[in-house]
Amino acid sequence: MHVPDGFLDLPTSVATAGVAVAGVGLALRGARRELDDAMAPLAGLTAVFIFAGQMINFPVGVGTSGHLIGGALAALLVGPWTATLCLTVVLTVQALLFSDGGITALGTNVVLLGLVAPWVAWGLWRLLRPAFRRVLPGRGGMMTLVFISGFGSVVAAALTFVVLYLAGGVVPLDPKALALAMVGWHALIGVGEGLITAFIVASVTKVRPDLVRALAGERATQQLQIRTEVTS
């Protein structure tokens, strides 16, 4: 999913850079509400894991491979604002030191992987979690929703790239063919993303559920219910 230099024209790259700067600026403010003494180390570990995970490719078809994006994982573990910061740091280091993604395309990559991916994952989680708690209560339903969030984040990022390329791609491509190729291959990558995200979130939840940001609201509700039952 890393976009290299030269894929998008200058106006589009400048526009995405502006969106990225604005998004990161908002994330710096929003992360203050998510990070505390317990969550800050987890945010660092999450960024390191995503950095390492993005270096490992897994095959998804003939001549095609994918890698972990990590947007859903970071959003569910440490919150969407902090996830944006984690992905931005990872993408910046990769672009500057490893030439993974282009310098002029850094803003585009931050938009795709640091804004779209984590926020779509977080939105899917928040939107669908109440229904899943009613229909599929328990650990199985929760992990199914984590998988959906991871899968959806990858497909959303792929669709966003299609829109950006149609707006400012340097080589004319058939819109339908581009969309089918991007969404088709990234749907397969999304399956891997969803499985990896579900496995890691399940592992952390089993050991330290208090460190999973996505469950913070549920923990508060459970604590309120316990206090109500005790006082009554």
Side-chain angles (χ1 to χ4, degrees):
M1 178 62 73
H2 285 75
V3 179
D5 290 325
F7 262 46
L8 301 177
D9 59 21
L10 183 59
T12 305
S13 297
V14 171
T16 56
V19 173
V21 169
V24 171
L26 291 173
L28 287 170
R29 298 179 60 183
R32 297 175 185 174
R33 299 190 296 270
E34 295 175 344
L35 292 176
D36 53 28
D37 291 341
M39 295 299 292
L42 181 61
L45 289 173
T46 300
V48 171
F49 178 83
I50 291 172
F51 180 86
Q54 288 191 2
M55 295 293 188
I56 302 173
N57 291 297
F58 53 86
V60 296
V62 179
T64 304
S65 63
H67 63 71
L68 176 74
I69 289 178
L73 176 64
L76 297 177
L77 285 182
V78 296
W81 296 114
T82 306
T84 293
L85 298 182
C86 289
L87 267 297
T88 299
V89 171
V90 169
L91 292 167
T92 302
V93 172
Q94 289 176 337
L96 294 177
L97 299 183
F98 297 92
S99 299
D100 195 0
I103 301 298
T104 62
L106 180 58
T108 301
N109 286 317
V110 169
V111 168
L112 295 174
L113 308 186
L115 293 176
V116 174
W119 280 98
V120 167
W122 184 256
L124 288 172
W125 171 268
R126 294 296 300 271
L127 178 65
L128 299 178
R129 183 57 177 154
F132 267 75
R133 292 183 68 182
R134 292 193 299 269
V135 179
L136 291 173
R139 189 178 182 85
M142 183 177 71
M143 289 305 108
T144 300
L145 182 52
V146 171
F147 171 85
I148 292 172
S149 299
F151 175 84
S153 70
V154 174
V155 174
L159 285 172
T160 303
F161 171 78
V162 171
V163 173
L164 292 175
Y165 194 88
L166 293 178
V170 296
V171 178
L173 294 175
D174 178 66
K176 184 177 180 180
L178 176 62
L180 287 175
M182 286 295 296
V183 174
W185 287 119
H186 282 86
L188 295 176
I189 295 171
V191 172
E193 181 91 11
L195 291 173
I196 294 171
T197 303
F199 174 77
I200 296 173
V201 172
S203 300
V204 176
T205 302
K206 186 175 181 180
V207 179
R208 290 290 303 272
D210 57 301
L211 293 181
V212 180
R213 183 71 187 184
L215 301 179
E218 297 178 20
R219 292 196 301 269
T221 300
Q222 292 173 354
Q223 291 171 357
L224 179 60
Q225 291 175 344
I226 293 174
R227 294 193 190 100
T228 303
E229 292 173 359
V230 170
T231 55
S232 61

